[in-house]
Amino acid sequence: MEGVILRETPLKISNMKYWQTVPPVILGYGQNGFKLKELKELEHLRGKLVISGLETIVDAAEASEVNLKDRKCLSKIQLRWNANAGRADSSRKEKEVLDALRSHTNLTELQIVFYRGTILSDWVGDYPFANLVSVCLRNCENCWVLPPLGQLPALKDLVIDGFVSVASVGDEIHGNGTCRC
């Protein structure tokens, strides 16, 4: 499925429970747009999952339906908001959506791009995510504080770019890995 992007919900995707990989998903507007809840039934997902268009999520309940924390075989997750979506109506809602997208602790790579909230979720950089080797946080322009990434013992590759609202960097960033900031 290399090069394929899901913009609309394929008919009967919920019946395809044994799919193990899905192409990048772009959540859509309107009746035919891909809905996050469509991933709910795909319990056997493994490898990499890319979800774009997260600004279309109405509330955290919609995001929690996917239940990423139970997807033990997902090793890489990329969560993207649209760069042109503008400011969030509510930073609190954005954080609640990201909270609801908490992944399983087996995760080795995490990317968050164009997040519109002011504070990232507590799970980003939390010690139970000890398997995280790579973290990429890009263009989270409204965030004013960095997560405690120094708690991640396996972290080797860290990219932080476009955090224009961060005024200072403290002890939360120290760790054993290398930092390309």
Side-chain angles (χ1 to χ4, degrees):
M1 287 196 234
E2 190 97 10
V4 174
I5 296 175
L6 291 179
R7 293 178 196 271
E8 294 184 6
T9 305
L11 287 171
K12 309 215 185 228
I13 192 171
S14 59
N15 292 339
M16 300 178 197
K17 294 180 182 189
Y18 296 101
W19 262 14
Q20 293 185 0
T21 60
V22 294
V25 170
I26 299 178
L27 303 180
Y29 299 91
Q31 187 175 356
N32 293 331
F34 194 94
K35 305 290 185 231
L36 193 57
K37 68 181 179 182
E38 300 298 330
L39 297 175
K40 176 181 169 182
E41 300 298 325
L42 305 179
E43 298 172 2
H44 301 282
L45 289 177
R46 61 179 54 248
K48 184 175 184 176
L49 178 63
V50 177
I51 303 172
S52 297
L54 287 166
E55 71 283 351
T56 65
I57 302 277
V58 175
D59 62 30
E62 182 182 347
S64 66
E65 286 186 50
V66 178
N67 206 11
L68 290 178
K69 67 181 177 291
D70 288 342
R71 307 301 168 96
K72 296 176 185 176
C73 294
L74 281 175
S75 58
K76 303 173 185 177
I77 292 185
Q78 182 182 94
L79 304 172
R80 296 182 66 91
W81 282 255
N82 187 327
N84 299 321
R87 293 189 76 85
D89 293 335
S90 166
S91 181
R92 182 174 155 220
K93 182 199 120 200
E94 296 292 310
K95 184 178 179 299
E96 288 172 354
V97 167
L98 189 56
D99 287 345
L101 292 170
R102 179 186 180 104
S103 303
H104 192 276
T105 55
N106 286 346
L107 202 63
T108 59
E109 292 184 27
L110 173 65
Q111 290 184 23
I112 298 176
V113 184
F114 294 115
Y115 173 70
R116 302 181 312 161
T118 56
I119 299 174
L120 289 163
S121 294
D122 295 336
W123 67 267
V124 178
D126 197 13
Y127 184 77
F129 286 85
N131 296 322
L132 271 174
V133 173
S134 176
V135 174
C136 178
L137 306 172
R138 289 194 187 274
N139 300 313
C140 303
E141 295 179 352
N142 298 320
C143 279
W144 51 271
V145 64
L146 293 173
L149 299 168
Q151 297 183 66
L152 302 173
L155 189 63
K156 293 182 181 174
D157 188 23
L158 174 60
V159 176
I160 299 173
D161 184 34
F163 275 67
V164 297
S165 296
V166 172
S168 67
V169 177
D171 291 336
E172 72 277 359
I173 206 71
H174 293 278
N176 296 330
T178 58
C179 179
R180 296 183 319 191
C181 302

